[in-house]
Amino acid sequence: MAFRKRNKSYPFFSQEFLIQNHADIVFCLVVFILIGLMFEATAKTSFLFILPQYNTSTFTPEGEVSFYHYGWRDCVTILFYFLIAIILHAVVQEYVLDKVNRRLHLSKSKNTKFNESGQLCVFHLASSLWSLYILITEGYLLNLSSLWENYPHVHLRFQVKFFYLFQLAYWLHALPELYFQKVRKEEMPRQLKYISLYLLHITVAYLLNFTRVGLVLLFLQYLSELGFHIARLFYFTDENHHKLFDMWAVGFILTRMMILILSVLVVGFGLARVENQGLDWEAGNFNTLLFRLAVLLVVCLTQAWLLWKFIRFQLRRWREYRQEQAARKRAVAKQPARPVKRESGECDSGSWGWENGASCSFS
């Protein structure tokens, strides 16, 4: 199974060989784990990689239901889906994005951002639909009090635990992809920043048993990011599509407000009124004032930082637009008899540099 067209062969285990063939190498590892399911002696070990661990069965009026909690063996499952994420990344890149890139003829810098938005657009779309499905089936949207009632939420259904494991696996896979995709050094800090933020928030929600409110916040965040990356993809195909960014900007601010309000409502007020207060490591109870303040601080600082970057970007964009308009008026005043010719694709609002709009987004 070859993901990349090879125009040149490289020495085994050289840097270029690993970069060019990393998806094939990872695919072989995944197949090796799956083959282990065929033999009784290795099936148990293979299941350790493939299926979430720490399940317990509970009898309810609906029948026998399996619940899961977390433990160190989750790292093994995350490793397997880390490999799966690398393969999916290569499939999307080879069979979708590379074909579109060959038609658009973008510059190298725009090509890198187009690939980034393409990958994240697919991931955010899938994760948004996945999280929405869980929220509906679990009944969290219709009953907001369920986000803090009966805390700690140690026992998770299969779909909830699997969602969190795959989220951690995806964002961990994004780290080596910076090397495999040969991301430029000037782009590294920005991408490392948003990858670290996602890993921090998802890990905190998973380990502190804030999985219910974490699902809602991730859904809102992914929906906002999906809008941004769709707008950026359309912008790269035609710069006249900058109107989509204006729509995203409104959604961005509303998302920040909703995340802040929901976080304060659930963590600041809901959990504070729950009877089960105190710190109990074995029971997974972290409902203390210190932990609640720490979680609120992380969420609020992140949202404040994103809003600050957004406002800075908008102000810089507005100043550049005013300067451009002033320069254009001066040019027209000096040559009143000569009509101003517009370049192809230029519009009244000008090119406002939205392809760099990721600086005011989570990603």
Side-chain angles (χ1 to χ4, degrees):
M1 180 176 183
F3 290 105
R4 296 280 183 180
K5 294 181 180 179
R6 290 155 180 75
N7 299 320
K8 182 180 178 182
S9 60
Y10 297 96
F12 282 101
F13 303 112
S14 65
Q15 180 178 344
E16 290 298 328
F17 177 84
L18 291 175
I19 291 174
Q20 191 179 60
N21 299 277
H22 73 276
D24 294 328
I25 296 171
V26 169
F27 181 77
C28 292
L29 292 175
V30 171
V31 171
F32 179 76
I33 294 172
L34 294 176
I35 289 176
L37 296 173
M38 302 171 61
F39 305 97
E40 186 178 354
T42 57
K44 188 176 180 180
T45 304
S46 294
F47 278 121
L48 184 65
F49 283 90
I50 298 170
L51 295 177
Q53 304 299 306
Y54 304 103
N55 62 311
T56 55
S57 297
T58 304
F59 290 94
T60 65
E62 301 175 355
E64 186 178 359
V65 180
S66 294
F67 291 98
Y68 296 80
H69 59 277
Y70 64 78
W72 68 268
R73 289 202 297 269
D74 288 344
C75 298
V76 182
T77 310
I78 290 172
L79 174 62
F80 178 77
Y81 289 100
F82 168 88
L83 301 177
I84 295 294
I86 291 178
I87 295 173
L88 294 176
H89 187 113
V91 169
V92 172
Q93 186 66 45
E94 174 67 19
Y95 295 104
V96 180
L97 298 179
D98 285 351
K99 291 183 178 180
V100 176
N101 281 330
R102 284 193 286 269
R103 294 185 178 184
L104 294 179
H105 304 291
L106 299 174
S107 64
K108 189 174 181 180
S109 61
K110 286 188 175 182
N111 183 58
T112 301
K113 292 173 183 176
F114 182 87
N115 289 336
E116 178 191 6
S117 285
Q119 293 285 351
L120 290 175
C121 190
V122 172
F123 172 72
H124 288 317
L125 176 61
S127 295
S128 298
L129 295 176
W130 190 0
S131 57
L132 179 61
Y133 172 78
I134 296 174
L135 291 173
I136 293 174
T137 54
E138 295 294 328
Y140 299 152
L141 288 181
L142 299 178
N143 184 17
L144 285 179
S145 61
S146 63
L147 299 179
W148 63 80
E149 288 179 348
N150 301 319
Y151 180 86
H153 307 136
V154 178
H155 302 292
L156 308 174
R157 292 186 182 270
F158 174 84
Q159 60 181 355
V160 177
K161 176 163 183 173
F162 188 64
F163 175 82
Y164 272 94
L165 293 182
F166 189 80
Q167 295 299 310
L168 291 170
Y170 181 87
W171 290 112
L172 285 172
H173 114 279
L175 295 172
E177 283 295 343
L178 297 178
Y179 171 74
F180 294 142
Q181 298 299 322
K182 296 182 179 180
V183 176
R184 295 182 302 172
K185 289 184 178 180
E186 54 268 27
E187 286 287 319
M188 283 276 194
R190 178 182 63 83
Q191 296 198 31
L192 284 173
K193 199 175 295 181
Y194 75 74
I195 292 171
S196 301
L197 283 172
Y198 273 117
L199 285 173
L200 172 64
H201 287 74
I202 295 171
T203 303
V204 167
Y206 186 63
L207 295 181
L208 298 186
N209 296 314
F210 295 142
T211 49
R212 296 184 181 181
V213 64
L215 270 171
V216 180
L217 298 185
L218 279 175
F219 169 70
L220 293 173
Q221 176 62 31
Y222 285 157
L223 204 61
S224 173
E225 291 298 285
L226 176 63
F228 170 76
H229 290 292
I230 288 176
R232 193 158 76 157
L233 288 176
F234 274 101
Y235 181 83
F236 284 133
T237 58
D238 185 356
E239 292 188 358
N240 291 326
H241 285 132
H242 60 81
K243 294 287 185 182
L244 290 174
F245 284 107
D246 297 331
M247 298 171 59
W248 165 79
V250 176
F252 178 86
I253 296 174
L254 292 177
T255 301
R256 299 312 120 208
M257 296 297 103
M258 292 174 66
I259 289 177
L260 286 171
I261 292 171
L262 190 62
S263 300
V264 173
L265 175 65
V266 175
V267 181
F269 292 98
L271 290 175
R273 297 183 179 183
V274 172
E275 294 181 359
N276 194 6
Q277 301 280 337
L279 179 62
D280 189 343
W281 295 90
E282 293 184 0
N285 187 6
F286 301 95
N287 190 13
T288 64
L289 179 61
L290 179 62
F291 277 97
R292 291 199 302 270
L293 288 177
V295 170
L296 278 177
L297 187 64
V298 169
V299 174
C300 292
L301 285 179
T302 302
Q303 302 308 310
W305 176 69
L306 291 173
L307 281 172
W308 175 68
K309 291 188 68 178
F310 178 82
I311 293 170
R312 281 188 59 194
F313 177 81
Q314 294 292 337
L315 289 175
R316 185 174 70 250
R317 173 184 173 222
W318 179 75
R319 285 196 299 267
E320 290 173 354
Y321 173 68
R322 291 295 297 271
Q323 291 172 2
E324 180 183 346
Q325 292 296 314
R328 189 173 297 175
K329 288 180 179 179
R330 286 195 297 268
V332 171
K334 290 180 180 178
Q335 299 176 347
R338 185 177 180 180
V340 178
K341 293 183 179 181
R342 296 187 183 277
E343 297 293 333
S344 176
E346 183 181 358
C347 60
D348 289 337
S349 58
S351 178
W352 288 5
W354 273 114
E355 71 272 13
N356 297 316
S359 59
C360 62
S361 173
F362 206 42
S363 57

